[in-house]
Amino acid sequence: MDEEYDIIVLGTGLTECILSGLLSVEGKKVLHMDRNDYYGGDSASLNLTQLYRKFRPDQTPPAELGRDRDYAVDLIPKFIIASGELTKILVHTDVTRYLEFKQIAGSFVYRDGKISKVPSTEIEAVKSPLMGLFEKRRAKKFFEFLQGWKDSDPTTHQGIDLDRDSMKTVYEKFGLESGTQDFIGHAMALYLDDDYINKPARPTYDRIILYTSSMARYGKSPYIYPLYGLGELPQSFARLSAIYGGTYMLDKQIDKIVTDSDGKFVGVTSGGETVKAKQVIGDPSYFGAGSEKESGTLRVIEVGKVVRAICLLKHPIPGTDNSDSVQLIIPQNQVGRRNDIYIAMVSSTHNVCAKDIYVAIVSTIVETDRPELEIVPGLNLLGPIHEKFVTISPLYEPTSDGKQDNIFITRSYDATSHFETVVEDVQDVWKRVTGTPLVLKKREVDVQQ
């Protein structure tokens, strides 16, 4: 390993694979390493054997669950917003040629003790039990205001300044009830908590427009999902990198991050050999993830935890019209929490499990010292649970921007139900590594109905 590279990338999670793919396309010489013998890191999809090896090493998967190879169970539950940033990257890089996408059948929200569909058409909106008649009229005016907004035309602003006025002010102007605010802020703008309400309205406006334009794109729901699981995403970006000359090494233990006397990155030692590069990018697990390194440098800090329960069911989620895939949001106010609880469910339609099995993942940000109890409101909506695997994952962030030492660390995958924050991290790291913003082109994605 005496070659020198422009960039070494550690870990094959989605963030790292997108970056190595994009950097390879730009002509950088990239070496990509992972301690695991599979792609995906924390964002992998596992077959049954791998799933049991990870969660119940002393147990073999029960035969009734079907064939090992029929499974690709995501460790991190996220969907792709149809008009979102990840779609733009997939299309810009032409990675879509390695993937097939399918729609998620419906988006649902839990309110006043029952599950309701997030309306995807005007007709559904009129029939929706989420609002009474008068509230529907007020909400219609609110959405017409958002859809009609033009920055350059003050007559569309109705006296509101999106960059100054808080979202609370906008809600109050249209007289929207707290339940409707909950629904808009959490089921459409997809905020995890209510902090957004007292901040300027612009980001919420952007999020609602993203949601409605994604919904309009394919109907049914604003989400798409790759056949064979989310683990296909990092692998597809790895293929892209390889086409452009990227080198991949799986199953390589990383023994040491080598720095010079000024603390600047020199290379990576693995199996007694050191490979050199100008810069390194990697996930927090390769940089101490909370523990002090031998150099005494604390490179990442823990900023919270996420609890996730992977549940295998033998039926769709009750109250979701027998949908083969759903997103179900439990807004925090509905269950007396600070953060929302998310349920993401997929099934054999997406080639991720055996026929008549449904994979539902319940997740939230940990608020107490008893995380498993915190997801009970979500688990209670699933009906009988056949198998359950629980993880509690710390969320890490880098302590520095990497510009001083050429060590660029990505963030852990958060509790959001989509990939927008992952792409924000990609854009952020890209700008720090290259010194220029990431610019993408626009094309369309084919989706199976």
Side-chain angles (χ1 to χ4, degrees), residues 325-341:
S325 51
V326 300
Q327 180 196 52
L328 171 53
I329 296 173
I330 306 176
Q332 27 76 292
N333 287 332
Q334 297 293 319
V335 284
R337 289 178 52 75
R338 180 170 152 63
N339 293 282
D340 292 359
I341 299 171

Side-chain angles (χ1 to χ4, degrees), residues 23 278 420:
L23 288 161
K278 299 179 186 74
E420 297 304 284

Side-chain angles (χ1 to χ4, degrees), residues 15 21 60 68 71 75 79 92 115 135 137 162 170 211 224 237 255 288 293 322 328 371 384 413 423 441:
T15 315
T60 50
D68 192 41
Y71 285 80
L75 292 176
F79 292 148
H92 162 76
I115 295 171
E135 184 67 358
R137 285 181 190 165
L162 289 182
V170 180
Y211 188 93
I224 56 178
F237 281 102
D255 305 324
K293 296 303 288 172
N322 284 328
L328 171 53
Y413 298 100
V423 178
K441 298 182 191 72

